[in-house]
Amino acid sequence: MSDVVAMPGQAYMRQLQAHPLRTKAITSGVLAGCSDAIAQKISGVPNLQRRRLLLIMVLVEQLTASPWNNMMFMMYYGLVVEGRPFSQVKSKLKKDYASVQLTAWKFWPIVSWINYEYMPLQLRVLFHSFVASCWAVFLNLKAARSIATSKKA
């Protein structure tokens, strides 16, 4: 019986050590959702309020994963794809990151809401991956436009 408890605990600790921010963000989101569901059950709410749980899931996702994903993409694109030195990538991040993140916060919550609310479970990954591909095209076009502007200057 102790192995049944110890194995998930060890796996969690490995994830916590390898990916601390992601692991804590996911843990926080799961615990917030569970506590909300338990509170609704205890208080006698007949059906779980899916919309509240959905809102919590979208907020956690947008406040944790989204900023890191966009920053890492912009760094990768600048360093690897464009082959720029870190100093140029850093200044580009300072210049463009806020607008990219604000656009993401306008776009991705709608996508997440559609995904969680309307997509059948078996199609959620496909839908999210398709939209993420479109988002990558947007980021690439924004980066290409930035390159063209800097070459003209």
Side-chain angles (χ1 to χ4, degrees), residues 8-125:
Q10 291 169 351
Y12 179 81
M13 293 307 289
R14 282 193 303 273
Q15 287 300 311
L16 187 60
Q17 194 168 22
H19 309 285
L21 184 63
R22 179 180 69 190
T23 304
K24 290 175 185 178
I26 291 170
T27 302
S28 175
V30 168
L31 291 176
C34 288
S35 67
D36 190 44
I38 292 168
Q40 288 178 47
K41 272 289 198 205
I42 291 172
S43 66
V45 175
N47 293 324
L48 292 179
Q49 296 176 355
R50 282 186 39 167
R51 294 198 191 284
R52 186 165 29 163
L53 291 173
L54 174 64
L55 177 64
I56 290 170
M57 288 171 36
V58 170
L59 282 174
V60 167
E61 181 180 62
Q62 291 306 307
L63 295 175
T64 57
S66 177
W68 287 104
N69 286 341
N70 290 319
M71 184 175 62
M72 290 300 152
F73 179 87
M74 292 175 75
M75 288 180 65
Y76 169 81
Y77 195 87
L79 292 169
V80 177
V81 176
E82 297 175 348
R84 293 180 181 220
F86 181 73
S87 60
Q88 286 181 1
V89 173
K90 185 177 171 184
S91 67
K92 183 168 174 26
L93 265 171
K94 285 181 181 179
K95 180 180 156 227
D96 292 342
Y97 178 75
S99 84
V100 167
Q101 190 57 49
L102 286 174
T103 303
W105 280 334
K106 293 173 190 173
F107 177 73
W108 281 105
I110 295 166
V111 171
S112 295
W113 178 71
I114 290 169
N115 198 22
Y116 293 132
E117 192 70 20
Y118 297 109
M119 283 293 135
L121 188 58
Q122 64 271 23
L123 296 178
R124 287 183 184 172
V125 172

